Amino acid sequence: MSPTPDTVPPTEISMAEIVFPNHTNHLGTLFGGQALAWMDKAAFLAAARYSRRTVVTARSDQVDFKLPIRIGQMVETIGRIVEVGRSSMKVEVELIAEDLHTGERKLCTRGHFVMIALDPEGHPIAVPPLPDAIPGP
């Protein structure tokens, strides 16, 4: 049976935050630790939503901080399942800063997180394979 849009698990989530002074360093830019916390949360939500299981972070891979994110900017955090193993899911996470007055958007940070699905006893459990493509009408 081919997957349909109704039976394919969602592979992407999006969250929005506003950068307040308590999120920033002395230069008025987002703390790296705060960025990582938002990214890990997005990876968790994307993996839990995809697998419909409890998930934990197993690893974060190469997080690249390309541009600073400043006080007052909106940050859209996008988590996308890009690979699936037996119980693992690799989630690509991007932080996109948006100036709310001009609408200018910039990709500021990108990283990958490996999440593991767990059964009720806390052991790794299989997750659905990542579909190649959803058939069109």
Side-chain angles (χ1 to χ4, degrees):
M1 181 169 160
S2 295
T4 67
D6 294 335
T7 62
V8 174
T11 59
E12 187 173 297
I13 63 97
S14 177
M15 307 179 330
E17 299 281 352
I18 186 80
V19 179
F20 288 114
N22 64 317
H23 297 135
T24 65
N25 59 27
H26 63 290
L27 300 174
T29 61
L30 186 67
F31 279 123
Q34 182 65 63
L36 289 171
W38 288 344
M39 294 173 80
D40 189 46
K41 182 178 179 181
F44 167 84
L45 289 170
R49 186 178 188 206
Y50 176 81
S51 66
R52 300 297 179 196
R53 298 284 186 180
T54 297
V55 299
V56 293
T57 305
R59 182 173 71 236
S60 62
D61 289 332
Q62 191 168 345
V63 176
D64 296 316
F65 296 91
K66 300 172 184 295
L67 295 170
I69 301 171
R70 303 190 183 287
I71 290 174
Q73 289 184 310
M74 182 184 82
V75 177
E76 183 177 9
T77 307
I78 301 168
R80 184 177 307 108
I81 306 289
V82 293
E83 289 179 30
V84 173
R86 190 188 80 73
S87 63
S88 66
M89 292 154 282
K90 187 173 187 179
V91 184
E92 179 182 72
V93 181
E94 296 176 335
L95 293 183
I96 300 167
E98 180 175 330
D99 183 303
L100 291 173
H101 296 128
T102 66
E104 181 182 15
R105 293 169 54 86
K106 292 182 180 178
L107 173 63
C108 294
T109 307
R110 176 182 286 142
H112 291 90
F113 293 75
V114 176
M115 311 302 286
I116 305 294
L118 302 177
D119 67 15
E121 287 77 42
H123 301 104
I125 188 167
V127 297
L130 193 61
D132 292 328
I134 299 169

